[in-house]
Amino acid sequence: MNKTVNINLANMLFHIDENAFQKLQRYLEAIKRSFSGTRGSDEIIADIEARIAELFYEKVESQRQVITMKEVDEVISIMGQPEDYHIDEEIFEDAPPAGQPASRPRVKKLYRDMDNKFIGGVCAGLEHYLGLDALWIRLIFLFLAIFGSGFGLIAYIILWILVPEAATTAQKLDMTGEPVNISNIERKVKEGIDDVADKVRSVDYEKVGSRVKQTGKSFFDTLGDIILFLFKVFGKFIGIVLILVGAATLLGLFIGLFTVGIMDAIHIPGIDLMGLITDVPVWLASLLMFFAVGIPFFFLMYLGLKILVTNLKSIGNIAKFSLLGLWLISIITLSVLGIRQASAHAFTGSVSETHALAPVDSLRIQFRDAESSDLPSAWVGGVEVRYDEGDNARLYFDDILLDIQMADDSVASLRIRKDADGRSFADARETAAAIDYAFAFSGSTLQLDEHFTTHAENKVRDQEIRLTLYVPEGTVLSFNPGAGDHLSRRIRNDRDLNRKRLANYTWKMDGEGRLECLDCPEDLPGETGNGHIIINEDGVDIDLKDDTDALRVKIDEEGVRVKAGRDDH
């Protein structure tokens, strides 16, 4: 049984075996003695402890796991012994000292290089990661921003948000792919110290001294401070806007996900009807839409928080890249599902059938409604869904149009054409063939259903019925009052009446394939014969009329005059 102790290493808590703790303590004391009196020794030791803590964190599987002598030995083998890595005070070599085996090449990690940044350090970090000069990377982003519909700017902002900056010495070494050991940490710290020293030596002390002696700021210094203050206020305002927009969008998406997607997932009645239009489950489409739209707005809100809160804790690289991956998966999946749904209407197929009617001198055309039922029904996409006693759903459509043409012989006939969409011509024709439509002919009356039906499994695929009635010359036709809603605009008649007014009178098929009105008033106006357009030296005079409204438009040197009113007819 071994005693364990708790240690705080680089602000990280670890449980460590007592023997392993004593060895680690001796190792750190040896490092401190090795760097005693060295420039930047405190920073070097702090970076070494941070690297050791990082290695311990990678090796433990849970917070309760105890670090043993094995983990300590592995960390020491990675970091190296102090006496093996002592570097001369003035001369630094990238290669390890003689006698020290070369470290294995490390995989580079992507960081933002803040030491060589131009804006956010993204391109400078990609230079280390890709081995491509930062100038070319900046030119690529600029090209994509200008000629790629802003993609370069969006990509740069996303990388700016997701990629962390190389703040510590260990992160800077990871960025360049160098081993994070004692030798390299010491070298990087001393290089930083030398850079600062060079900057200090290059300062014009006389110039600085003269500025110190000044009693106050100049006008331009004050103006610069004011402008800087205004920029900070504007930045805070932008941060607030980003937070409000992101939070409001996420709240709306969450409510939409709950009310639509979750309701479909738990089979709340009525929501499942959306599946009659699309092949994609509603809950899946809602979830993908939530991720596709919500993740970018989450990062907008997070960016606003970063602007407002200086020391806001990062959500971590794992969370950032996980959200990015989830967003890409959602976008790709939605695109595939969208293409699949569009392909369901890519082709239109038709099936036709012709039924001969008995020879008659007159024909009464009636449109009859579907039989009423006390069984439950609902509407989706303009289509009625009815359930039978076995809870089997059927779709009821009313997209039916009737055209009337002259027959080639003395026998009347009815042609029924069924149309539907599908992923192929064969699929469309199969869906069209599944349509059920009924009519009845008795004596001199032709009864046509106002609705046609199909099973719910055929879904809504723009199904429609087009009827063509062929009647011999001289046949007298009459309609029931509701027939006007289903008559085609292609029906020719000698009064130029529209389809709704046409159903109010009795007609006879003449020898030219046109209907001749038998009981229309002599002064009955048509749709085109009572209006006029006059263009002369006085301007443009337009007078348009129909059966209910009158509109008169006159354009001349006095301007435009519009007069609307009720027609006397």
Side-chain angles (χ1 to χ4, degrees), residues 60-122:
V60 296
E61 298 178 356
S62 65
Q63 294 182 351
R64 295 185 178 182
Q65 180 176 341
V66 177
I67 297 175
T68 63
M69 191 72 72
K70 175 184 176 183
E71 286 78 22
V72 174
D73 290 336
E74 292 176 354
V75 168
I76 292 175
S77 65
I78 294 174
M79 299 297 295
Q81 296 293 339
E83 60 271 14
D84 297 332
Y85 288 97
H86 186 70
I87 298 180
D88 187 73
E89 291 289 333
E90 302 296 338
I91 302 174
F92 305 101
E93 298 291 341
D94 292 335
Q100 176 66 24
S103 302
R104 292 179 299 176
R106 289 173 51 83
V107 177
K108 297 179 182 179
K109 294 183 179 180
L110 182 57
Y111 289 95
R112 290 185 288 115
D113 187 358
M114 305 306 292
D115 295 333
N116 302 297
K117 69 175 183 177
F118 188 78
I119 298 178
V122 174

Side-chain angles (χ1 to χ4, degrees), residues 294-310:
I295 291 177
F297 279 94
F298 168 77
F299 280 113
L300 278 181
M301 185 179 68
Y302 179 71
L303 178 60
L305 290 173
K306 293 281 285 185
I307 294 175
L308 291 179
V309 183
T310 306

Side-chain angles (χ1 to χ4, degrees), residues 192-209:
I193 294 174
D194 288 341
D195 290 340
V196 174
D198 292 339
K199 293 179 180 179
V200 171
R201 284 193 293 268
S202 63
V203 173
D204 188 346
Y205 290 99
E206 294 182 0
K207 187 176 181 180
V208 172

Side-chain angles (χ1 to χ4, degrees), residues 426-448:
D427 179 49
R429 285 193 294 268
E430 182 179 353
T431 304
I435 295 175
D436 293 328
Y437 182 72
F439 73 96
F441 178 71
S442 177
S444 61
T445 302
L446 175 62
Q447 293 183 333
L448 303 171

Side-chain angles (χ1 to χ4, degrees), residues 19 21-31 33:
N19 295 331
F21 169 71
Q22 293 176 356
K23 185 170 184 178
L24 177 63
Q25 189 176 32
R26 291 193 299 269
Y27 177 70
L28 292 176
E29 290 176 353
I31 292 176
R33 289 194 301 270

Side-chain angles (χ1 to χ4, degrees), residues 119 121-124 126-127 130 134-148 150-160:
I119 298 178
V122 174
C123 296
L126 289 173
E127 178 182 17
L130 301 177
L135 175 62
W136 293 107
I137 298 176
R138 292 187 178 105
L139 290 176
I140 291 173
F141 274 108
L142 183 61
F143 178 83
L144 292 177
I146 297 175
F147 301 101
F151 176 78
L153 178 61
I154 296 174
Y156 188 91
I157 293 175
I158 292 176
L159 290 174
W160 194 351

Side-chain angles (χ1 to χ4, degrees), residues 14 24 49 65 204-205 220 292 397 414 463 513 525 532 537:
F14 296 98
L24 177 63
E49 290 181 353
Q65 180 176 341
D204 188 346
Y205 290 99
F220 294 102
F397 302 81
L414 177 67
Q463 290 94 331
H532 65 257
E537 65 277 2

Side-chain angles (χ1 to χ4, degrees), residues 242-252 297 301:
L242 292 178
I243 292 174
L244 292 177
V245 172
T249 305
L250 289 175
L251 179 62
F297 279 94
M301 185 179 68

